[in-house]
Every structure is written in structure tokens, then in C-alpha cells.
Amino acid sequence: MTISYDQFGLKEVINASGKMTILGVSKVSENVLAAQRFGGEHFFEMSELAIQTGAYLAQLLKVEDAQIVSSASAGIAQSVAAIIGQGSLYHVYHPYTDRIKQREIILPKGHNVDYGTPVEVMVSQGGGQVVEAGYANGCSPEQVEMMITENTAALLYIKSHHTVQKSMLTVEEAVAVAHKHQLPLIIDAAAEEDLFKYSQAGADLVIYSGAKAIEGPSSGLVIGKGQYIEWLRLQGKGIGRAMKIGKDNILGLTQALADRLENGSESGESMKQRLAPFISALNQISGLKATIVQDGAGRDIYRASVKLQEHSAKEVIAALKSADPAIYTREYQANNGIIEFDIRAVDASELEKIITRLKEIM
């Protein structure tokens, strides 16, 4: 049987929105597919597979240990549970027990965002209780410190374009507060490109999405201190059982990360070069003004920003999605009349289709 869009009544999708879960996040390479196939065609002692792939990745990433999980969201929940339980088997089987009072997870208020589900949902799933520090428009190290009590289990920092970017304490400041009060710091860096920065800054656990910057299959990765990773592995007998990941995706992510470290990712300069003719073509369309912009969170990612002068951005976005192929864009500034196009997963022929469709809509 040959798989196709038509077989399931699906539309083709051009992903100009970025590494988004709603679209399947990333395409995977032939190397990754081969690793997944090897996993699918063989049996393993699964506990040993987790330990050995974790040790392999830890060596590559220069950390004490690593654990592959089913997603970055699962990484948050299991990291929180690990820190709260501290290796207790009683806790593993009774994750929400009243015996353990130290459950407060301090999070800057501007980091308590909805990225597809609210951050606090994943913290709660891990048995934590979110305590917000600061305000939506700012959080200082002092405001984090004043929320620490005897029931504080950990600090959580979300490094993401979804969060408030201004007037927030830095990663380094969060590390300093955590170390001063002898508390673990968990950093959710799901879509971040730098796989070394946050562990080297002093974070105790760092969480990545396997399918975003790493361009692996559906998966997540937690790296950091060996003791905490051991506690996290125990969650496979507890809440992690409902979040287990298959052998094929464990090996697929392992291969993807090794390839990512060897080959790197597309540079911002390359993106700008690919964007240049696309921007020029868009500016030939009446009613559009296109420019190149950098990612709002400061990453080395460049996109096309299109200001609509005569049409509603929301109506144009809906029209782009309605056709076949469906064209998905970044919609965060639609209320300002702006549509952004992320071209990391878009090839030249797909860029031409976007131009053609915009001409039709305009």
C-alpha cells in the first residue's frame, strides 16, 4: 500500500509557520528514518535502551546524564515529579500523596503561557503547584526570591518566544537564585537551537523537544544532573507510564541529535539569502509590503513579515489555509495586520506556490 494524502482525505500542507506541533513539527531525514526502522525491526531491553542512549547523548552534550521522553511537555511533568519524589518508590506509586508537602514550583508570571496547553497543566500533572513570581510585564530575581518557602521544590524557567520577553530575569539570574537557596532549576528550552547553553549556565535539568530544533521524530529530551535523571527514569513506573516512548523514536531522536551536532542547522544568513527573492516577489503584489525580520526571542532565525495594506490579515490567513495545498503561517501579529512566513521547512517550489496563492487572494 502506498500512503498518500488522498487515501485519508487529507490536504497537502505547506508549513510556513515554523516547528509547530499542530502540523507535525518537522520533517525527518533519511538517517533518522533508517534509525527508526532499525528500532521498529528489532527488540531491546527497554530499560537498558533508555540508559544507554541517555549515556550516549550525555557524552555528546557534555552533561552527567540524559533521558529521552515522549515530548517536551512530558519532560516538564516528569521532571517536576522527579524533583518532588526524590527517588521515593512510594511517591512513584502515589504521586499526589499528601505525605509530601514540598510541591511548590516557582515560575515567573510572564512564563506561565499557553503553548498548546498551559505550562501549569504540565506542572500539575507532575504533582507540582505553580507559584507565580512577579507580574505579566516583569519579574526580577528579588521577586522570585520572595516567593520561596519551605514548600518550594524547584524553580522553573521557560525559554520560549511564547513568553514575555521584556523585563524578565535572565537564565543566569535564575541560576544564581536557585543556587543561593539550594533549589533545582528546571529550564524548558523546547524549541531552542543551542543544546549546550543552558546546562553550561548551571541549570539542573534542561528540556528540549526532539522534533523541533533537533528535527527528530515525536519525542523529548531531558538532560542534566545524574541524580535528577535517575529520579526521572523512575517515573516510567508512575506517571511516565502514560507518556512512554517507543523504541523506534528513541533511536530516531538519538540519530537526529548526533546528526544535528555534526551538521548544524541552517544559519540565519542562509535564511536571509533564501528569503531575498521571496521578499522581492511579494513586494510586486499590490497591497503587500514585505520585509525580513529576526525572531522575536533573538534566535538566529529570520522570517518574511508581510504587512497587509488593504485586506484583513485574519481573512488572508483563513484563505491561505482553505486551499489545497493548505498554507500555514505565523499568526501572532494578525491583529496588527501582519503575517509572518517561516521558511525553514519550505522549499523553492513551495515558496512559488505561496506567491501564486497570495496573488490569487489579493
Side-chain angles (χ1 to χ4, degrees), residues 28-44:
V28 299
S29 69
E30 291 295 329
N31 269 2
V32 172
L33 287 172
Q36 288 181 279
R37 179 163 183 162
F38 179 82
E41 291 179 341
H42 296 83
F43 293 108
F44 305 88

Side-chain angles (χ1 to χ4, degrees), residues 53-111:
T53 53
Y56 174 80
L57 294 175
Q59 185 175 24
L60 292 180
L61 296 173
K62 299 179 172 57
V63 293
E64 292 180 15
D65 206 350
Q67 174 71 14
I68 297 173
V69 293
S70 60
S71 66
S73 294
I76 294 174
Q78 291 181 73
S79 294
V80 167
I83 295 298
I84 291 171
Q86 298 186 10
S88 164
L89 281 177
Y90 180 84
H91 169 268
V92 168
Y93 294 117
H94 304 88
Y96 310 114
T97 175
D98 290 337
R99 290 188 189 181
I100 298 176
K101 306 300 182 185
Q102 201 173 20
R103 292 183 174 274
E104 293 179 357
I105 307 296
I106 299 176
L107 174 72
K109 187 178 183 69
H111 287 194

Side-chain angles (χ1 to χ4, degrees), residues 182-207:
Q182 297 181 314
L183 290 168
L185 173 65
I186 305 167
I187 294 184
D188 172 39
E192 291 298 295
E193 300 276 333
D194 195 322
L195 300 175
F196 296 91
K197 179 178 180 179
Y198 305 107
S199 57
Q200 290 178 352
D204 297 285
L205 289 173
V206 186
I207 302 161

Side-chain angles (χ1 to χ4, degrees), residues 158-180:
I158 310 297
K159 183 61 180 172
S160 168
H161 65 279
H162 289 295
T163 63
V164 173
Q165 301 297 311
K166 64 179 183 178
S167 303
M168 287 287 161
L169 78 165
T170 65
V171 167
E172 290 74 19
E173 288 171 331
V175 168
V177 172
H179 287 179
K180 177 181 176 181

Side-chain angles (χ1 to χ4, degrees), residues 53-274:
T53 53
Y56 174 80
L57 294 175
Q59 185 175 24
L60 292 180
L61 296 173
K62 299 179 172 57
V63 293
E64 292 180 15
D65 206 350
Q67 174 71 14
I68 297 173
V69 293
S70 60
S71 66
S73 294
I76 294 174
Q78 291 181 73
S79 294
V80 167
I83 295 298
I84 291 171
Q86 298 186 10
S88 164
L89 281 177
Y90 180 84
H91 169 268
V92 168
Y93 294 117
H94 304 88
Y96 310 114
T97 175
D98 290 337
R99 290 188 189 181
I100 298 176
K101 306 300 182 185
Q102 201 173 20
R103 292 183 174 274
E104 293 179 357
I105 307 296
I106 299 176
L107 174 72
K109 187 178 183 69
H111 287 194
N112 193 10
V113 296
D114 185 334
Y115 61 89
T117 191
V119 169
E120 62 188 322
V121 169
M122 290 299 103
V123 173
S124 297
Q125 192 165 353
Q129 299 163 356
V130 167
V131 174
E132 293 182 341
Y135 299 91
N137 63 341
C139 180
S140 67
E142 292 76 20
Q143 287 171 318
V144 171
E145 280 195 277
M146 69 176 63
M147 304 310 294
I148 296 173
T149 72
E150 68 275 9
N151 292 325
T152 302
L155 309 185
L156 175 60
Y157 192 103
I158 310 297
K159 183 61 180 172
S160 168
H161 65 279
H162 289 295
T163 63
V164 173
Q165 301 297 311
K166 64 179 183 178
S167 303
M168 287 287 161
L169 78 165
T170 65
V171 167
E172 290 74 19
E173 288 171 331
V175 168
V177 172
H179 287 179
K180 177 181 176 181
H181 294 273
Q182 297 181 314
L183 290 168
L185 173 65
I186 305 167
I187 294 184
D188 172 39
E192 291 298 295
E193 300 276 333
D194 195 322
L195 300 175
F196 296 91
K197 179 178 180 179
Y198 305 107
S199 57
Q200 290 178 352
D204 297 285
L205 289 173
V206 186
I207 302 161
Y208 294 96
S209 166
K212 291 183 178 174
I214 300 172
E215 296 188 338
S218 293
S219 56
L221 178 66
V222 185
I223 66 174
K225 301 293 175 60
Q227 180 68 83
Y228 296 147
I229 295 294
E230 284 184 26
W231 293 347
L232 189 148
R233 284 201 182 103
L234 279 178
Q235 300 309 310
K237 298 179 181 294
I239 67 164
R241 180 69 178 183
M243 311 170 191
K244 62 185 176 183
I245 182 171
K247 53 190 177 161
D248 49 346
N249 282 11
I250 290 174
L251 290 171
L253 174 60
T254 302
Q255 183 65 54
L257 192 142
D259 289 348
R260 168 79 166 72
L261 292 178
E262 181 177 351
N263 303 321
S265 58
E266 184 179 11
S267 68
E269 193 59 39
S270 170
M271 291 177 213
K272 287 190 280 187
Q273 290 176 6
R274 290 204 296 126

